[in-house]
């Protein structure tokens, strides 16, 4: 697999108490209080996350709201605003894109960046933290190293508002004390095996095993784990920007048989996707209309433009519909619009807060 730590520069960035932090940002009355995002006890809610104030009481993600309120009776539980979290996530993606094309989002609030060819990774990491704080009002924790595995552990190391760098020559010492459960891909099943066999709790503990023993115990994952517990990781940061699209659709209360009604129904859908594209400063070349007839047969029609666009008028949508040979007599139960073929205008990075 690999015999040295290589010379890549990888940043892992993870927002602190993401949903809860956004709620505090949007509602100053919540600041300083223990808060969590989730549904109420009456709705048999489970928490998505809790801020660090609430975590002092033992409150955490995936805990039932009822249990959390027992641990922390003055916990403020607020409902989630997922469209808002998505929009901030898109803003973050655009920010990262101004530093490198190689960006791999792994959750709404979590991303890997490969900045090998982009100068000082430490400076970029610090600047990202600073800009997220100044321009957005949120804190992020950032880890810098030469691979994904160590960068991710490093970003967690000083959470919240963390910044931690692990140089390649520091990896053997650093990884030795890392708990096995903090290694990428180690789940409950692996931990159960390790406990049953009394192998220890840290990466250092497991380093006593040979690669053959590791494969015997952990199956196909054993070989990868053998390298991970030594801090080796050759996984690439895989950018998925090119796969992105912005779309919305609606199933109608009553079926549609004429173009006027269809255009009327497509108007708010168009407004929504244009708003989302504007928010994330995304320019695009292709718009796609999807229509599902009442017999569930579905068609899509796309129009691509020669230049990147930021908006489109409903009149143009009508023109696309007119040229799409939509068979209105069949009855339409659902229609949607999708923008794709993106370019992000990195010079106009902005989010209306
Ligand atoms: P995390 O990054 O795991 O957690 P966090 O950002 O709230 O806190 P921190 O990183 O500082 O430890 O998850 C990001 C968001 O994903 C989180 O704010 C809410 C959501 N989420 C759930 O909805 N359910 C879950 O079980 C988890 C873990 C997260
Ligand atoms: Mg987070």
């Amino acid at each position: 697999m690999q015999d040295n730590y290589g010379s890549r520069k990888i940043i892992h960035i993870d927002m602190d108490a993401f949903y809860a932090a956004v709620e505090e940002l949007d509602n100053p009355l919540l600041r300083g209080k223990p808060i969590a995002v989730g549904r109420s006890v009456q709705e048999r809610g489970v928490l998505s996350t809790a801020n660090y104030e609430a975590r002092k009481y033992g409150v955490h993600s995936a805990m039932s709201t009822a249990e959390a309120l027992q641990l922390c009776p003055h916990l403020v539980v607020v409902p989630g605003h997922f469209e808002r979290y998505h929009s901030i996530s898109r803003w973050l993606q655009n920010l990262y894109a101004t530093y490198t094309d190689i960006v791999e989002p792994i959750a709404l609030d979590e991303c890997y960046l490969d900045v090998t060819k982009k100068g000082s990774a430490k400076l970029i990491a610090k600047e990202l933290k600073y800009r997220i704080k100044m321009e957005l009002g949120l804190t992020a924790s950032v880890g810098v190293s030469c691979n994904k595995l160590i960068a991710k552990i490093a970003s967690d190391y000083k959470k919240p508002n963390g910044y931690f760098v692990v140089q390649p020559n520091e990896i053997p010492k650093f990884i030795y004390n890392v708990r096995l459960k903090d290694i990428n891909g180690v789940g409950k099943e692996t931990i159960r095996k390790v406990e049953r066999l009394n192998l220890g709790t840290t990466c250092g503990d497991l380093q006593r095993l040979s690669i053959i023993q590791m494969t015997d115990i952990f199956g196909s994952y054993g070989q990868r784990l053998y390298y991970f517990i030594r801090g080796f990781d050759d996984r690439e940061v895989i950018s998925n920007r090119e796969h992105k699209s912005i779309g919305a659709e609606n199933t109608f209360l009553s079926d549609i048989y004429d173009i006027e009604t269809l255009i009327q129904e497509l108007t708010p859908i168009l407004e929504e996707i244009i708003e989302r594209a504007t928010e994330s400063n995304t320019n695009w070349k292709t718009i796609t209309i999807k229509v599902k007839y009442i017999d569930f047969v579905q068609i899509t029609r796309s129009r691509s433009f020669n230049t990147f666009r930021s908006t489109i008028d409903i009149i143009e949508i009508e023109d696309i519909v007119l040229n799409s040979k939509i068979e209105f007599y069949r009855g339409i139960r659902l229609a949607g619009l999708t923008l794709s073929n993106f370019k992000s205008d990195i010079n106009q990075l902005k989010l209306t807060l």
Side-chain angles (χ1 to χ4, degrees):
M1 198 180 178
Q2 57 269 93
D3 51 14
N4 68 52
Y5 291 106
S7 53
R8 292 182 297 156
K9 297 179 194 168
I10 311 293
I11 295 174
H12 180 262
I13 184 155
D14 186 336
M15 303 299 290
D16 300 322
F18 184 48
Y19 292 4
V22 174
E23 296 304 327
E24 285 183 82
L25 178 73
D26 291 350
N27 182 357
L29 291 175
L30 297 174
R31 293 180 200 163
K33 296 181 181 156
I35 78 152
V37 175
R39 289 180 184 272
S40 64
V41 175
Q42 291 74 24
E43 297 167 294
R44 293 196 290 149
V46 172
L47 302 182
S48 299
T49 193
N51 68 358
Y52 280 79
E53 191 54 35
R55 290 184 200 189
K56 288 182 194 162
Y57 297 84
V59 174
H60 59 75
S61 297
M63 177 178 268
S64 76
T65 307
E67 192 186 343
L69 282 166
Q70 275 176 357
L71 291 172
C72 178
H74 56 299
L75 180 72
V76 185
V77 181
V78 296
H81 297 92
F82 302 99
E83 193 43 51
R84 175 83 170 126
Y85 312 144
H86 275 272
S87 126
I88 290 184
S89 183
R90 286 191 292 272
W91 185 93
L92 291 165
Q93 295 298 315
N94 279 323
L95 174 69
Y96 304 151
T98 64
Y99 291 86
T100 171
D101 290 337
I102 315 173
V103 176
E104 181 180 344
I106 45 175
L108 275 188
D109 77 326
E110 197 180 334
C111 232
Y112 289 108
L113 280 70
D114 186 326
V115 294
T116 307
K117 295 190 180 136
K118 306 290 173 182
S120 165
K122 288 190 238 174
L123 274 184
I124 294 174
K126 280 191 177 155
E127 191 171 306
L128 284 172
K129 272 177 70 74
Y130 179 78
R131 289 188 62 183
I132 290 170
K133 180 70 195 159
M134 297 310 288
E135 295 173 30
L136 199 56
L138 296 175
T139 63
S141 291
V142 186
V144 182
S145 195
C146 56
N147 64 43
K148 288 165 92 173
L149 176 83
I150 303 292
K152 184 171 165 70
I153 300 169
S155 78
D156 215 33
Y157 206 59
K158 300 277 179 188
K159 234 179 194 310
N161 201 11
Y163 168 80
F164 198 70
V165 180
V166 185
Q167 301 287 0
N169 64 343
E170 298 166 342
I171 291 181
K173 197 165 166 230
F174 177 75
I175 196 77
Y176 198 84
N177 293 314
V178 169
R179 288 166 307 179
L180 206 53
K181 69 179 182 59
D182 293 333
I183 293 289
N184 222 290
V186 170
K188 289 199 178 100
E189 191 49 42
T190 306
I191 294 296
R192 259 196 294 273
K193 261 186 202 158
V194 171
E195 280 171 0
R196 204 173 51 226
L197 297 169
N198 231 336
L199 296 172
T201 54
T202 65
C203 290
D205 292 334
L206 250 76
Q207 285 178 8
R208 289 192 292 264
L209 301 177
S210 71
I211 195 160
I212 295 173
Q213 288 173 308
M214 291 288 283
T215 325
D216 280 349
I217 298 170
F218 303 107
S220 55
Y221 179 55
Q223 186 174 345
R224 168 155 278 180
L225 193 57
Y226 176 86
Y227 288 105
F228 275 7
I229 58 174
R230 288 165 174 78
F232 290 115
D233 176 14
D234 61 3
R235 289 171 303 159
E236 303 272 333
V237 177
I238 300 163
S239 164
N240 73 354
R241 274 192 89 70
E242 59 272 24
H243 301 308
K244 280 178 52 175
S245 64
I246 296 176
E249 60 183 42
N250 200 7
T251 303
F252 308 119
L253 288 175
S254 46
D255 303 325
I256 291 176
Y257 290 90
D258 63 283
I259 184 164
E260 288 77 26
T261 317
L262 180 66
I263 295 301
Q264 209 176 318
E265 294 289 348
L266 284 176
T267 304
I269 295 175
L270 178 67
E271 278 167 12
E272 183 192 326
I273 58 171
I274 293 296
E275 192 182 315
R276 280 163 55 192
T278 309
E279 243 173 26
S280 57
N281 229 329
T282 305
N283 292 345
W284 43 272
K285 267 188 178 172
T286 303
I287 183 156
T288 302
I289 296 182
K290 172 169 122 180
V291 161
K292 198 183 266 182
Y293 297 115
I294 53 182
D295 56 8
F296 285 87
V297 172
Q298 181 179 305
I299 59 158
T300 57
R301 297 286 182 265
S302 293
R303 182 171 289 181
S304 289
F305 301 95
N306 291 330
T307 50
F308 286 103
R309 303 188 56 156
S310 59
T311 190
I312 184 167
D313 198 87
I314 193 72
I315 308 279
E316 289 178 84
I317 303 292
E318 192 166 352
D319 184 57
I320 301 171
V321 171
L322 281 169
N323 285 289
S324 294
K325 298 200 174 71
I326 292 173
E327 298 162 292
F328 282 97
Y329 66 87
R330 293 172 71 163
I332 295 168
R333 68 186 309 273
L334 171 152
L337 294 168
T338 303
L339 304 172
S340 58
N341 229 332
F342 290 164
K343 175 186 88 171
S344 276
D345 188 345
I346 55 177
N347 297 317
Q348 294 172 28
L349 184 67
K350 193 165 95 214
L351 175 74
T352 321
L353 286 168

